[in-house]
Amino acid sequence: MADYQRILSEKKFVTKVSPEVTSSGQVIYGNNNTNTTIYGESPDYLDIKQWDIQEGECFTEEDIKKAAKVVVVGKTVVDELFGEGVDPIGKTIRFKSIPVRIVGVLKSKGYNSWGMDQDNVMIAPYTTVMKRIAAQTFFSSIVCSAVTEELSDAAIEELTQMLRDNHKLKDDADDDFTIRSQAEMMDTMSSTMDTVTIILVVAAAFSLLVAGIGIMNIMLVSVTERTKEIGLRMAVGATGAVISLQFLIESVIISVTGGLLGILVGCSASAFVVPMFNMPSSVPAWSIYVSFLVCVFIGVLFGYIPAQKAANMDPIEAIRHE
């Protein structure tokens, strides 16, 4: 609390400040229930997160002083507890057996880049969560917003100095707190996504390599079993290029057929994930086109060796083959 009070009284490069206490659990209304997270905040939190109230209003500083049992809820919580077309304002729900009254509904934000539902949330006065739900006397964190994006580093430096003074840390002592900026979090997320992308690309490359080798083996067996047929075709005038083209077309057909089945399974799985796991999913059109072209390329690449083997056969030796 002392850190929060000092930031409020001495801030220069910070505009809004909100202490934060969180707790996860089940929220219940009548026979309906859902799991969510309740955030204990100050009214400034909505401005910091750029969250708008769609219905009702936000709790007030008076509610914070009284640790009032009021809450602002997200759209997902409303849909899960009340269904469509029901006005939740003024209704009392229970979170971990604690009754709280809904005073506002947040405007929907949808899913974030991590696939998390931002509307599955409840926001209450931080004193209410601390005293009535989490039963703790300290904050989990303090959320701040800088005056401008360009002054974020200055705000971090200002906050660092305030907290070090408040915690009475010596000059050579390490910080006993952590300050994270949005830019740092975005860099971390970007780095993580890059790593995941590399892993997926490597896995896909190995899958294509194994698939290509499989196609090549199938076509080599086909060439061996049809040696006499190849000899007869050459004997009646078929050129090596025609024989090669025949086996390349067969290889591409096998590859493209597998690709089309893969696209069908992928699109079906994507449609299945949304209702089953409540996760956002989409299949961009370009990925289907690229997949199809890759299948054609794999078919030509790994069908080339069997096709050349067939094209380079001696017609007489091929006809004699048993």
Side-chain angles (χ1 to χ4, degrees), residues 219-234:
M219 295 309 299
L220 285 172
V221 170
S222 177
V223 169
T224 302
E225 291 179 345
R226 297 161 64 183
T227 300
K228 182 170 287 189
E229 174 194 331
I230 295 169
L232 287 171
R233 291 197 63 196
M234 286 184 169

Side-chain angles (χ1 to χ4, degrees), residues 22-28 33-39 77 81 93-98 120-122 129 133-134:
T22 62
S23 180
S24 297
Q26 189 178 68
V27 58
I28 302 170
N33 65 82
T34 187
N35 290 316
T36 188
T37 301
I38 189 168
Y39 289 80
V77 176
L81 296 183
I93 57 180
R94 302 180 72 85
F95 183 85
K96 289 186 175 180
S97 75
I98 306 298
N120 187 19
V121 65
M122 298 169 58
V129 178
I133 297 175

Side-chain angles (χ1 to χ4, degrees), residues 271-289:
F272 174 77
V273 161
V274 176
M276 191 69 180
F277 299 101
N278 197 26
M279 292 175 62
S281 178
S282 65
V283 181
W286 65 263
S287 67
I288 296 177
Y289 301 144

Side-chain angles (χ1 to χ4, degrees), residues 37-233:
T37 301
I38 189 168
Y39 289 80
E41 309 284 352
S42 76
D44 283 347
Y45 182 75
L46 298 185
D47 292 328
I48 295 172
K49 291 294 185 178
Q50 297 182 350
W51 226 323
D52 298 323
I53 297 290
Q54 181 173 323
E55 301 177 45
E57 58 186 9
C58 186
F59 50 84
T60 63
E61 290 292 342
E62 188 65 25
D63 293 325
I64 291 176
K65 292 177 183 178
K66 296 179 179 178
K69 292 186 283 188
V70 294
V71 68
V72 177
V73 298
K75 190 70 169 60
T76 298
V77 176
V78 173
D79 292 341
E80 291 290 336
L81 296 183
F82 303 100
E84 296 290 338
V86 178
D87 183 9
I89 304 300
K91 289 183 167 48
T92 300
I93 57 180
R94 302 180 72 85
F95 183 85
K96 289 186 175 180
S97 75
I98 306 298
V100 288
R101 180 170 54 86
I102 297 175
V103 294
V105 177
L106 297 168
K107 189 175 181 180
S108 178
K109 271 195 171 185
Y111 291 86
N112 63 15
S113 54
W114 291 98
M116 298 175 62
D117 185 3
Q118 299 179 92
D119 299 323
N120 187 19
V121 65
M122 298 169 58
I123 303 175
Y126 64 85
T127 51
T128 304
V129 178
M130 289 175 69
K131 296 178 181 179
R132 303 182 187 276
I133 297 175
Q136 66 184 53
T137 57
F138 56 90
F139 302 135
S140 304
S141 59
I142 299 175
V143 187
C144 306
S145 61
V147 175
T148 64
E149 184 178 349
E150 290 74 19
L151 293 175
S152 293
D153 291 338
I156 290 173
E157 186 176 343
E158 177 186 54
L159 292 169
T160 301
Q161 193 57 51
M162 284 185 190
L163 293 177
R164 287 186 65 87
D165 290 347
N166 237 34
H167 296 189
K168 295 180 173 56
L169 297 176
K170 295 181 180 179
D171 292 340
D172 58 346
D174 294 332
D175 294 339
D176 59 353
F177 55 87
T178 302
I179 298 180
R180 294 188 180 92
S181 66
Q182 285 288 83
E184 181 184 348
M185 293 170 66
M186 289 299 294
D187 289 341
T188 301
M189 185 179 73
S190 178
S191 176
T192 302
M193 293 305 295
D194 289 343
T195 302
V196 171
T197 300
I198 292 172
I199 293 173
L200 291 176
V201 168
V202 171
F206 274 109
S207 298
L208 290 173
L209 177 63
V210 172
I213 292 173
I215 291 173
M216 184 171 64
N217 288 337
I218 291 172
M219 295 309 299
L220 285 172
V221 170
S222 177
V223 169
T224 302
E225 291 179 345
R226 297 161 64 183
T227 300
K228 182 170 287 189
E229 174 194 331
I230 295 169
L232 287 171
R233 291 197 63 196

Side-chain angles (χ1 to χ4, degrees), residues 251-264:
S251 175
V252 170
I253 288 174
I254 293 173
S255 178
V256 169
T257 301
L260 292 175
L261 289 173
I263 291 170
L264 179 62

